[in-house]
């Protein structure tokens, strides 16, 4: 039974240690709050931010043009008001946090100006980067900075298992610090738990991106939206253990070729290799099916691959990839939807906020523009952190969910085997293309799977079981959203094999 006598209190509780969680913690602390940041991560590279390559978009003084690119990439589905919040706050947030507070050394030209780069569907060079390992170069100094802050505690290797709710208000979480859970009560709780890469076999996310925040919030009754829009990156290494080949490479001149050596993107979209990501991902998959292989040719880069993209070049060398042509295939990359939030990150539940990839701000609509995810995490993290602080409101200690830790003979490898089944279902039926009949079949499999997992989470608090519970809840929500949307838009591409031929 969860022990509420041995509880903790925080003004603001942040769950997750990517850029959005760090920004929320920083801004709440700046407003005078005592902040506790819990993270499952044991190392910075357990957060997706650390894996982000291309960079962070700015507006370079032209918010209108960035807004137009975001709306176009989203196929007109992004929420213009949310995009305004992003573009109007982008440059100040970058200046304040990344340049002045953290002093990130973004790449510069020989003349000492920022070396802005460009990625697919951007009409201008406006992306700040540190070679193509930008996330690492932002997150690590950010975490070091938070560690020195006297109002912020970062607690690693600690998972939130359940939200504590009472009469529609969220009062904190039960963490896995005790065998039957430990209650942490907070004035406000901010979810920044990242994405869902662990729901698919091939992903550019860390292995433990199990949709925790989305599942916990949805189970507590929060509204979620746009979950069918799962973005697949077109250029991940095609072999086992995929890694990202940043869109910045195409932005700087690399091109896609099929097995016959032909460039094909102009046959699919007027912007060719720099078309919106969903278009390129489907084209790559089609060409792979028709010709057997697609490669990213880096010999056409305007700059030297080895010297300009050292981290990617090193990964290629480590994997034994030789030459200028790197085999690529689409790979799960980002969830455009999530927990529905307003312009300050407020969810539909009182005192619960969500920021970063687990949140749906409306900025991405059905398809996200490259290098806007770090920016969205930064902007909404800062806004939510500041908005969440109410120093007059004491955290209340209410009854916490009753977690047990009995021993119901959990079969060995239970979580691993169920997770493989879940991934296979998502790969086959909720990938780049969705057939309504297959989505219905996937929902049935996922419902059964969730039932099997629930039987154990009722009696055990093991983290991997809760992660599996969260993955299966989030997978079911994605399947439901996909089944309710018959229209192909952006990342949600509906094929209907049973439809009558025209
Ligand atoms: C990339 O570097 O291609 C990824 C950038 C992003 O997803 O925003």
């Amino acid at each position: 039974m969860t022990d509420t006598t041995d509880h903790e209190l925080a003004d603001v509780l942040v769950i997750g240690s990517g850029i959005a969680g760090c920004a929320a913690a920083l801004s709440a602390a700046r407003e005078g709050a005592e902040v506790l940041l819990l993270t499952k991560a044991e190392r910075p590279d357990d957060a997706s931010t650390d894996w982000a390559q291309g960079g962070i978009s700015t507006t370079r003084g032209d918010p209108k043009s960035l807004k137009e690119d975001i709306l176009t990439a989203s196929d007109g589905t992004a929420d213009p008001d949310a995009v305004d919040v992003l573009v109007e706050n982008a440059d100040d947030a970058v200046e304040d946090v990344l340049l002045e507070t953290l002093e990130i050394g973004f790449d510069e030209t020989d003349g000492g100006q920022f070396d802005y780069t460009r990625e697919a569907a951007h009409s201008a060079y406006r992306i700040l980067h540190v070679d193509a390992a930008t996330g690492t170069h932002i997150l690590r100094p950010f975490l070091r900075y938070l560690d020195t802050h006297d109002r912020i505690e970062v607690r690693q290797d600690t998972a939130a298992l359940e939200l504590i709710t009472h009469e529609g208000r969220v009062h904190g979480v039960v963490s896995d610090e005790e065998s039957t859970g430990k209650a942490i009560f907070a004035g406000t709780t901010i979810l920044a738990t990242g994405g869902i890469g662990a729901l698919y076999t091939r992903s550019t996310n860390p292995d433990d991106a199990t949709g925790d925040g989305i599942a916990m919030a949805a189970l507590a009754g929060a509204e979620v939206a746009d979950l069918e829009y799962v973005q697949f990156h077109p250029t991940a290494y095609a072999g086992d253990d995929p890694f990202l080949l940043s869109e910045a490479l195409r932005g700087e001149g690399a091109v896609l070729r099929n097995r016959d050596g032909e460039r094909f993107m102009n046959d699919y979209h007027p912007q060719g290799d720099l078309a919106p990501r969903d278009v390129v991902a489907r084209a790559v998959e089609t060409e792979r099916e028709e010709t057997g292989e697609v490669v990213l040719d880096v010999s056409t880069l305007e700059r030297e691959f080895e010297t300009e993209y050292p981290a990617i070049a090193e990964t290629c060398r480590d994997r034994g990839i030789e030459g200028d042509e790197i085999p690529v295939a689409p790979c799960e990359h980002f969830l455009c939807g999530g927990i529905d939030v307003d312009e300050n990150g407020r969810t539909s539940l009182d005192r619960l906020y969500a920021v970063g990839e687990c949140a749906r701000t409306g900025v991405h609509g059905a398809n996200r523009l490259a290098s806007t995810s770090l920016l969205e995490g930064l902007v909404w993290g800062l806004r939510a952190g500041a908005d969440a602080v109410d120093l007059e409101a004491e955290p209340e200690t209410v009854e916490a969910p009753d977690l047990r830790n009995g021993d119901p003979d959990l079969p060995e490898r239970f979580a691993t085997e169920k997770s493989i089944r879940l991934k296979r279902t998502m790969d086959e039926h909720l990938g780049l293309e969705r057939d309504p009949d297959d989505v219905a079949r996937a929902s049935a499999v996922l419902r059964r799977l969730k039932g099997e997992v629930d039987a154990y989470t009722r009696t055990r608090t093991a983290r991997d079981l809760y992660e599996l519970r969260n993955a299966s809840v989030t997978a079911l929500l994605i399947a439901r959203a996909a089944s309710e949307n018959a229209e192909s838009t952006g990342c949600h591409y509906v094929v209907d094999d049973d439809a009558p031929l025209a």
Side-chain angles (χ1 to χ4, degrees):
M1 182 137 175
T2 303
D3 183 1
T4 49
T5 49
D6 181 25
H7 62 253
E8 265 186 89
L9 300 175
D11 294 331
V12 174
L13 177 63
V14 179
I15 314 294
S17 59
I19 189 169
C22 290
L26 173 66
S27 118
R30 281 174 168 178
E31 296 292 321
E34 296 294 328
V35 181
L36 175 59
L37 186 154
L38 300 188
T39 174
K40 291 199 295 189
E42 290 179 72
R43 301 175 308 269
D45 62 355
D46 291 336
S48 295
T49 296
D50 203 73
W51 295 34
Q53 294 187 350
I56 180 160
S57 187
T58 65
T59 76
R60 272 190 99 175
D62 187 355
K64 194 162 161 274
S65 148
L66 178 59
K67 179 177 179 180
E68 274 165 17
D69 288 353
I70 290 173
L71 291 173
T72 306
S74 76
D75 223 350
T77 58
D79 171 355
D81 295 336
V83 181
D84 279 338
V85 171
L86 185 82
V87 300
E88 281 162 16
N89 291 281
D91 294 357
D92 286 348
V94 168
E95 179 79 28
D96 165 16
V97 178
L98 303 187
L99 299 177
E100 286 174 8
T101 306
L102 303 178
E103 299 178 4
I104 308 295
F106 290 111
D107 283 2
E108 295 184 351
T109 60
D110 292 342
Q113 306 295 311
F114 284 128
D115 175 33
Y116 291 99
T117 188
R118 187 166 74 123
E119 292 183 41
H122 278 269
S123 60
Y125 285 78
R126 53 162 88 99
I127 297 169
L128 287 171
H129 64 105
V130 186
D131 66 67
T134 312
T136 296
H137 288 275
I138 291 176
L139 189 62
R140 297 183 187 202
F142 213 156
L143 288 168
R144 281 197 294 275
Y145 183 84
L146 297 191
D147 275 339
T148 63
H149 201 295
D150 55 8
R151 276 197 294 280
I152 301 174
E153 181 192 347
V154 177
R155 192 173 299 164
Q156 296 189 330
D157 191 15
T158 305
L161 302 179
E162 298 282 9
L163 293 177
I164 302 172
T165 56
H166 183 64
E167 295 179 350
R169 174 176 286 185
V170 173
H171 293 273
V173 303
V174 178
S175 79
D176 68 351
E177 289 165 279
E178 308 285 342
S179 63
T180 52
K182 174 176 172 182
I184 302 178
F185 296 104
T188 16
T189 304
I190 302 180
L191 297 170
T193 53
I196 57 148
L199 274 55
Y200 291 85
T201 308
R202 288 171 51 81
S203 161
T204 58
N205 296 180
D207 291 343
D208 63 357
T210 40
D212 300 340
I214 297 169
M216 286 190 293
L219 289 172
E223 280 169 26
V224 294
D226 288 351
L227 288 174
E228 66 273 41
Y229 300 123
V230 179
Q231 182 171 70
F232 289 78
H233 197 289
T235 59
Y237 173 55
D240 290 342
D241 200 7
F243 61 92
L244 188 62
L245 291 143
S246 174
E247 239 165 36
L249 292 163
R250 274 176 289 130
E252 300 279 353
V255 297
L256 290 160
R257 295 186 193 280
N258 61 23
R259 165 150 282 171
D260 306 324
E262 287 159 1
R263 293 187 59 184
F264 55 84
M265 271 313 304
N266 285 335
D267 300 339
Y268 290 86
H269 196 276
Q271 282 172 287
D273 289 280
L274 295 179
R277 198 171 270 181
D278 59 310
V279 176
V280 185
R282 285 193 295 275
V284 168
E285 198 51 33
T286 304
E287 294 290 322
R288 277 170 52 81
E289 277 163 19
E290 287 178 2
T291 74
E293 186 181 54
V294 168
V295 296
L296 184 68
D297 178 358
V298 295
S299 69
T300 49
L301 274 170
E302 287 151 25
R303 317 187 198 198
E304 187 65 33
F305 179 54
E306 294 278 339
T307 49
E308 289 298 323
Y309 306 96
I312 301 178
E314 188 184 335
T315 310
C316 288
R317 273 198 306 281
D318 291 348
R319 298 294 184 84
I321 303 163
E322 286 169 7
D324 292 329
E325 298 197 337
I326 306 161
V328 291
C331 183
E332 193 283 335
H333 184 58
F334 187 88
L335 179 63
C336 300
I339 307 160
D340 204 16
V341 298
D342 70 7
E343 72 277 9
N344 289 316
R346 285 178 183 239
T347 71
S348 59
L349 296 182
D350 191 19
R351 306 275 176 92
L352 182 70
Y353 289 70
V355 292
E357 192 173 344
C358 71
R360 180 268 185 200
T361 60
V363 161
H364 308 308
N367 182 46
R368 179 175 67 85
L369 179 71
S371 284
T372 54
S373 56
L374 293 180
L375 182 63
E376 183 201 39
L378 178 65
V379 167
W380 256 266
L382 291 175
R383 295 173 72 81
D387 196 71
V389 177
D390 178 357
L391 297 174
E392 305 300 309
E394 294 282 313
E396 282 172 60
T397 53
V398 297
E399 200 175 327
D402 183 11
L403 306 192
R404 290 153 192 264
N405 200 28
D407 184 1
D409 287 334
L410 182 69
E412 211 185 320
R413 290 183 46 80
F414 175 86
T416 314
E417 280 164 12
K418 299 293 175 215
S419 159
I420 291 170
R421 177 139 66 95
L422 183 143
K423 286 178 201 237
R424 200 174 299 139
T425 307
M426 297 299 283
D427 292 346
E428 285 173 10
H429 305 309
L430 287 145
L432 272 179
E433 296 184 352
R434 286 93 187 260
D435 176 309
D437 291 337
D438 289 346
V439 172
R441 269 192 284 279
S443 299
V445 173
L446 293 167
R447 257 194 306 277
R448 265 199 309 279
L449 194 141
K450 179 176 172 296
E452 291 164 32
V453 177
D454 282 347
Y456 287 108
T457 45
R458 272 193 279 277
T459 50
R460 288 178 77 100
T461 53
R463 188 186 301 181
D464 61 354
L465 268 184
Y466 273 82
E467 289 180 324
L468 184 57
R469 189 274 314 256
N470 294 336
S472 57
V473 168
T474 308
L476 262 173
L477 291 168
I478 292 171
R480 186 165 74 196
S483 70
E484 287 171 354
N485 186 352
E487 196 182 326
S488 287
T489 324
C491 308
H492 179 59
Y493 191 76
V494 184
V495 287
D496 189 351
D497 289 343
D498 295 334
L501 294 176

